[in-house]
Amino acid sequence: MSHESACDVARLVGDAPRWPPTTRALPQECVSGQRKFRGCRLGERLDALGLTERPVDLLVPAQGARSSGNRARFRVWSGLVPRCALLDLGGGLLASAPEFAVIQLCSAQGKLDALLDAHASAVRAEAELAAALDLTDRPVIDHPLKWERIRRLVAATVVACEFAGTYRLAAGEKNVDYRAPRLLSAERLAGAADEVATMQGTSRARRVCELMLEGSASPMETVLGLMLTLPVDFGGFGLEKPQLNHPIDVSAYRGSLSDWDAVTPDFLWAAHGVVLEYDSVKFHAARGTTQLERDAVRANTLTALGYRTFRATVQTLGTLPGLALLARQLAHALGTELEPTTPLQDLRRRKLYLQLMPKVRNLTGGDSFLINTV
């Protein structure tokens, strides 16, 4: 299994024994074709595992092994399989480990004909409307292929952040599992990309290594972190990357300014003494008033030690202007200014925000907010 299906397997089982012991080509005896998929009763095994989404993504070593159908989607992988890149689930059932799955997501090439046709129709309709209204200003237009490349790279980065963090998006559900073990790191992803070498998608996977954030504890932390740090040309605010959920040693102040030996803020720019905390309604509701009290004491401890502590709420992130204000405040505290944007970059910022936020809104439960880009 590969691509999105492999991601769902990792969410369900976590880690598992790894295969192969050394870099090698994909086995020639891989299940290929819809008939073989039905004949080996693989669907029943996947259902028992909890993977009920169809079609399932399967790797095959050559183009001739592909076929179309609603049960399985066959993906060609003719290059090398990195060492320990597959999870061995027993009985000959293998799934791409998170780092290999991210590389596959980066290498996926969807059909773009419909995208180009829709873009051409939209541009034509907008031009006709402008002419009818006697408007001379040229509309801001983003080339669909350029934005699609950005969109796919960001989507792969979001998955990498999840597996490099401590939460899991339950496969096929809207629930989030918290306090999960980390399954990925930028270093491990880069190492797998090096072993794959020049296969399609490895350059994008290395770019994911640069963009991803490690240590995120929730989907909203991932979205907030990416909106703040992704390049301006991608639609982000281009801020310096922080450390997420990184403990600060305060043992020297235990008993005087702190009740603990360490405090762990959500976002930390250590060199600048700046902290950002995200206040999640759902997270706090799940843990009760005790968590609220702990957060308040933690924030007070950091403030007493000289850290400038900022807070982000659901309402802050519910509008793009609110998020932009937070970005400007953080930039000022970090001793920098936000990069001025062009009309095209403003358009991409709205598109990035709309790409990331609705998905998170479906997962936040009690964290309800109105998406507004105005």
Side-chain angles (χ1 to χ4, degrees):
M1 284 173 287
S2 66
H3 295 75
E4 288 87 353
S5 296
C7 292
D8 283 341
V9 168
R11 293 176 181 122
L12 289 166
V13 306
D15 211 348
R18 297 292 189 106
W19 186 91
T22 58
T23 301
R24 54 158 294 169
L26 198 67
Q28 294 297 315
E29 60 271 18
C30 290
V31 171
S32 60
Q34 304 293 325
R35 181 177 299 178
K36 287 186 177 180
F37 179 81
R38 292 193 299 269
C40 71
R41 306 175 71 89
L42 178 57
E44 296 177 9
R45 290 195 60 188
L46 299 180
D47 289 342
L49 189 65
L51 188 65
T52 58
E53 293 290 322
R54 298 291 184 274
V56 63
D57 297 298
L58 298 176
L59 285 187
V60 291
Q63 192 74 24
R66 299 182 64 186
S67 68
S68 60
N70 58 7
R71 291 182 174 85
R73 180 169 46 217
F74 295 96
R75 313 273 199 159
V76 176
W77 188 267
S78 57
L80 295 176
V81 176
R83 178 178 57 87
C84 299
L86 302 175
L87 303 180
D88 188 348
L89 305 177
L93 184 58
L94 302 169
S96 298
E99 63 272 18
F100 195 28
V102 170
I103 293 174
Q104 290 159 356
L105 294 178
C106 289
S107 67
Q109 295 291 322
K111 295 180 179 180
L112 299 177
D113 291 347
L115 180 69
L116 293 171
D117 290 343
H119 173 71
S121 298
V123 171
R124 184 166 52 251
E126 193 165 358
E128 291 173 354
L129 178 60
L133 297 175
D134 199 25
L135 298 176
T136 57
D137 293 340
R138 297 184 62 183
V140 179
I141 298 173
D142 195 359
H143 192 287
L145 294 183
K146 291 182 179 179
W147 170 249
E148 183 64 10
R149 283 194 287 267
I150 292 172
R151 188 197 66 78
R152 292 184 181 187
L153 186 61
V154 170
T157 302
V158 169
V159 174
C161 290
E162 175 190 349
F163 289 127
T166 57
Y167 68 93
R168 296 290 174 270
L169 306 179
E173 299 178 5
K174 294 183 179 180
N175 297 324
V176 182
D177 295 327
Y178 296 101
R179 294 187 174 181
R182 299 188 192 185
L183 300 177
L184 181 64
S185 67
E187 181 180 6
R188 184 182 296 180
L189 177 57
D194 289 342
E195 290 195 48
V196 171
T198 58
M199 280 291 292
Q200 182 181 17
T202 53
S203 62
R204 274 172 279 179
R206 293 186 182 95
R207 185 70 171 125
V208 168
C209 294
E210 299 171 359
L211 300 174
M212 65 185 285
L213 301 167
E214 301 184 51
S216 176
S218 71
M220 186 58 85
E221 285 186 8
T222 291
V223 169
L224 176 55
L226 291 178
M227 283 297 308
L228 291 174
T229 62
L230 283 175
V232 174
D233 204 42
F234 282 26
F237 289 95
L239 290 179
E240 177 184 332
K241 286 173 62 173
Q243 295 172 292
L244 273 63
N245 297 290
H246 181 78
I248 301 174
D249 182 7
V250 295
S251 58
Y253 303 95
R254 186 179 179 92
S256 57
L257 300 178
S258 174
D259 292 335
W260 305 297
D261 289 330
V263 293
T264 306
D266 297 333
F267 299 85
L268 169 65
W269 288 267
H272 304 278
V274 174
V275 161
L276 171 63
E277 299 278 28
Y278 170 64
D279 296 329
S280 167
V281 174
K282 181 177 180 181
F283 185 77
H284 288 142
R287 298 197 179 186
T289 57
T290 301
Q291 184 63 42
L292 287 170
E293 294 168 359
R294 288 173 62 89
D295 287 353
V297 172
R298 180 176 66 189
N300 290 342
T301 298
L302 291 169
T303 300
L305 294 176
Y307 288 90
R308 285 170 288 179
T309 304
F310 293 81
R311 307 197 81 92
T313 66
V314 174
Q315 289 71 29
T316 304
L317 307 184
T319 67
L320 187 52
L323 181 56
L325 175 59
L326 174 64
R328 290 195 300 271
Q329 293 168 340
L330 287 169
H332 182 76
L334 296 172
T336 186
E337 294 184 1
L338 294 182
E339 181 180 331
T341 54
T342 65
L344 176 58
Q345 290 167 338
D346 288 334
L347 173 63
R348 286 182 177 173
R349 182 163 293 168
R350 292 194 294 272
K351 292 164 72 172
L352 177 66
Y353 181 80
L354 291 171
Q355 175 185 341
L356 296 176
M357 296 301 284
K359 183 178 294 186
V360 173
R361 180 178 56 182
N362 292 334
L363 294 164
T364 51
D367 292 359
S368 301
F369 51 81
L370 173 68
I371 298 295
N372 184 357
T373 62
V374 178

